[in-house]
Amino acid sequence: MQLGAFSVSLGVKDLSKSRAFYETLGFTTYAGTEEHNYLIMKNGDMLVGLFQGMFEGTMLTFNPGWDQSAQNVDPFEDARQIKERLKAAGLEITQEQGGDDGPASFVVVDPDGVPILIDQHR
């Protein structure tokens, strides 16, 4: 199963303070804006998403069809195919979004309660 680009998504209380903290660790803003309440920070191939007011806590995120630089990867396994494989394996799927093709997303929760977002943008 190819899950695509990986990042850690953090629900933060103060986006500006979090941005400054991650900049101190050597991350730079790669995508997003403070006006839209999220930033994707990058350090080499490592990605950390900072999201203020969108969700609480920490979430692992995978983006099928993208590499670590948000460039298209072909071929790729569609999020809907991944979702069906996980359902067939007995995992509970929540927060499903998307139609029959194009962007789609869903969440599966690991045994320790950590949400994992599969978020396909193409």
Side-chain angles (χ1 to χ4, degrees):
M1 183 177 317
Q2 295 297 318
L3 298 174
F6 171 75
S7 61
V8 175
S9 298
L10 305 175
V12 301
K13 295 176 184 169
D14 186 318
L15 188 57
S16 294
K17 286 183 181 178
S18 294
R19 177 188 43 78
F21 175 83
Y22 282 94
E23 286 174 345
T24 302
L25 293 177
F27 285 80
T28 58
T29 299
Y30 180 70
T33 65
E34 290 195 36
E35 293 77 29
H36 289 111
N37 293 324
Y38 82 95
L39 296 170
I40 307 301
M41 307 294 292
K42 188 168 185 173
N43 182 334
D45 285 338
M46 296 175 291
L47 295 169
V48 175
L50 307 175
F51 298 87
Q52 183 175 324
M54 295 183 184
F55 60 88
E56 291 185 26
T58 301
M59 182 176 351
L60 305 181
T61 302
F62 294 94
N63 302 111
W66 276 3
D67 66 14
Q68 288 301 107
S69 295
Q71 299 299 306
N72 290 348
V73 173
D74 287 304
F76 72 97
E77 188 169 1
D78 189 277
R80 286 162 282 273
Q81 294 170 318
I82 295 169
K83 178 179 68 177
E84 292 309 314
R85 288 176 67 186
L86 297 177
K87 277 184 177 179
L91 299 182
E92 181 181 349
I93 306 297
T94 64
Q95 300 180 25
E96 300 178 58
Q97 294 187 17
D100 291 337
D101 60 6
S105 65
F106 66 90
V107 173
V108 63
V109 179
D110 87 357
D112 293 304
V114 177
I116 300 170
L117 172 65
I118 308 297
D119 191 16
Q120 178 177 310
H121 295 281
R122 51 183 284 220

